Amino acid sequence: MITIPIISGFTPATCISKGGSVTIQGKHFGNQSGKGVALGGHGIHVDAQILSWSDASITVRIPNDPKIQLNQWYYLGIEQANHGKWLSNINKNITICASAPLAAPKLTLPMPGTPSGPAIVLPPAGSGASAQPPPESTPAPEYGGEWPGESGYPGDSGYYGDSGGLPQPSYGSLLSSPLPPVPQVPPVAPEAEKSDIEPAEVVIIHSSPDEARQFAETARGMGLSIKRRRTLKGLGLVVSVVRLPVGMTVSDALLQLRGQLPDLWADANHRFTLQADADPKSYALRMMGWDGQGVSCNTPIRIGMIDTTVTNQHPVLQGAQITQKSFLPSGIEPAPPRHGTAVAALLVAQGEHEAMAGLVPAAQLFVAGVFRGRDDALDTSAERIAYALDWLLEQRVSTINLSLGGPRNLLVEAALHRVMQTGVVVVAAAGNGGAKGAPVYPAAQQGVIAVTAIDADARLYRNATHGDYVVFSAPGVDVWSADARGGGAYFSGTSYATPFVTAALATRITRMAPAAVIEAQKKSVIDLGTPGRDPEYGWGLIQSAGRCPSSS
């Protein structure tokens, strides 16, 4: 019987300095022969120095390597000595300590209504920082400026960034696997309370049902009640939606929760929108080098998609392998299927004419319908996105297309962290906010492959959001695809560039590990804009693999 090394934790459990030692605890480590220990994640893979080894504990020294970032978390795992593959689980994390900087004096005020409770630490006036609870350990830095991958860009391929990479999608249970340290996020802005979040709701994320039940008791003592709770077994998360009492804003609720429970993953239930242009020839396949062989590719791949529903009665989709599931509660009006139908057709349309032929027509497409029609807006919530991601993991997809975007949200962040832990590649629209637009999530989340749009002359889409998180460019201006009403139409936006990258990665991932797939795509791009990677075009225009993967 083969026993797999299982890592249960580390000593010390808080943070480790470069050059410091840490003991890995667990079982079935066996002897050291042919094995090693490495530090991984966030674009690095660094060997640790082994000091002692037994079947239940291994002590290693963290190297003083410049690639290891301070205030960053990484996973430690047991691997083959030749770096061939991971032998243990890699879902336990450590944080690298930094020397504490000299800080200006801070004022402390008690929480409103809790005179003897924990204090909120207020930064010095004029610092621009937001009020935060005193951390029990060094927090992880914010994504967006301090998550460098191997190239130094925060949006680099992250979880897939070393040559060994993560294993092929494992789909094993992540329930009870701990979450990383809670990132620092800014408070909810007053204007966001009006339209950008679900009113009077806060989402709470736990990694086990026991933790969620314990929190429910704490919440009652704070005057809060649990509105909904759902266990997402695929993601290994328990999501609780908290109902706020009348008169309490989401901002105030989060301030209180984060003050009293600094290790709690809590956030607003943010709204996300489709990344399409309201104003929408067949140049796209030619630009990508996706010739007839690529178009008719018979690939055994499974792609996930979170979007509106899809009109699979459209003539070019009737023969496609599409499985759909709605995540809207009964009584909620779904969004019109125009956006989802166009994205799905770009991937799996069965049309004979090249202008309407899908990139991977033989792929199995799993569509999670999460968007609702609300007045003049089409949007969804962080909660629905998390439910959809959980379902897609259960469908054993290898790649997920997210032609949507919104603000940073900790529920979506935690869910996608779990998804990428399994080795599934996530591709998302970079956003349509223009050159000065704010980063769009989840594209800006570390590890997600962010896609921007270009036109037939390789010029950047006029509304494309710029940012260091952009990874690849793809056709996304006046691309021809299926219209939900039955014919075809031109579509523009980073939404429609995203499926081109999803398809390119999905065709490679059937024969290569995620890290190797992304590295291969980086090397095969057509460089655009400033030489090398830049905030407008990323690495450049993605190219197809040039041949069909074998179905064997």
Side-chain angles (χ1 to χ4, degrees), residues 67-134:
K67 292 195 294 292
I68 300 175
Q69 302 293 309
L70 301 180
N71 285 339
Q72 180 65 282
W73 65 264
Y74 299 97
Y75 53 78
L76 271 177
I78 302 170
E79 63 173 357
Q80 290 179 342
N82 63 0
H83 308 298
K85 67 176 182 179
W86 293 107
L87 301 175
S88 72
N89 55 308
I90 53 172
N91 59 356
K92 307 294 183 183
N93 304 318
I94 62 168
T95 299
I96 303 301
C97 298
S99 300
L102 293 175
K106 297 180 179 179
L107 303 174
T108 59
L109 296 175
M111 288 295 298
T114 55
S116 60
I120 299 175
V121 181
L122 300 180
S127 68
S130 58
Q132 293 292 339

Side-chain angles (χ1 to χ4, degrees), residues 147-284:
W147 288 100
E150 58 192 29
S151 69
Y153 280 86
D156 210 351
S157 40
Y159 296 101
Y160 322 112
D162 56 87
S163 58
L166 290 173
Q168 289 294 90
S170 61
Y171 312 106
S173 174
L174 294 169
L175 206 59
S176 296
S177 297
L179 287 162
V182 183
Q184 290 180 316
V185 292
V188 174
E191 58 270 20
E193 300 264 0
K194 300 176 183 178
S195 60
D196 295 341
I197 61 177
E198 295 293 279
E201 287 186 358
V202 169
V203 289
I204 309 294
I205 310 109
H206 291 101
S207 59
S208 75
D210 286 343
E211 291 178 357
R213 284 190 287 268
Q214 292 171 10
F215 169 77
E217 294 297 324
T218 302
R220 277 193 285 272
M222 299 169 67
L224 307 174
S225 60
I226 304 299
K227 187 176 182 180
R228 294 183 297 276
R229 183 192 296 154
R230 186 163 177 171
T231 299
L232 308 181
K233 293 182 179 179
L235 295 174
L237 298 174
V238 182
V239 177
S240 302
V241 178
V242 173
R243 179 189 288 109
L244 306 185
V246 176
M248 177 179 283
T249 66
V250 172
S251 178
D252 287 344
L254 288 172
L255 193 62
Q256 184 173 343
L257 285 165
R258 290 168 180 168
Q260 296 194 28
L261 302 167
D263 293 328
L264 182 70
W265 280 71
D267 210 338
N269 198 1
H270 286 102
R271 290 170 175 164
F272 289 73
T273 57
L274 299 164
Q275 297 301 295
D277 194 334
D279 297 321
K281 259 177 176 198
S282 170
Y283 69 93

Side-chain angles (χ1 to χ4, degrees), residues 348-433:
V348 297
Q350 306 292 298
E352 296 181 0
H353 191 277
E354 185 181 81
M356 193 70 84
L359 296 158
V360 280
Q364 297 180 58
L365 183 62
F366 297 86
V367 179
V370 301
F371 280 86
R372 64 190 171 191
R374 186 179 56 83
D375 299 325
D376 294 329
L378 304 179
D379 63 20
T380 188
S381 66
E383 179 189 5
R384 300 297 158 194
I385 293 173
Y387 296 168
L389 288 169
D390 183 66
W391 176 70
L392 290 177
L393 276 192
E394 293 176 348
Q395 308 315 306
R396 305 175 68 85
V397 300
S398 65
T399 316
I400 296 177
N401 188 96
L402 300 175
S403 292
L404 54 85
R408 186 181 181 188
N409 178 269
L410 293 188
L411 171 55
V412 174
E413 193 164 300
L416 284 173
H417 171 73
R418 296 294 214 201
V419 167
M420 292 184 286
Q421 262 187 305
T422 70
V424 173
V425 174
V426 181
V427 187
N432 302 333

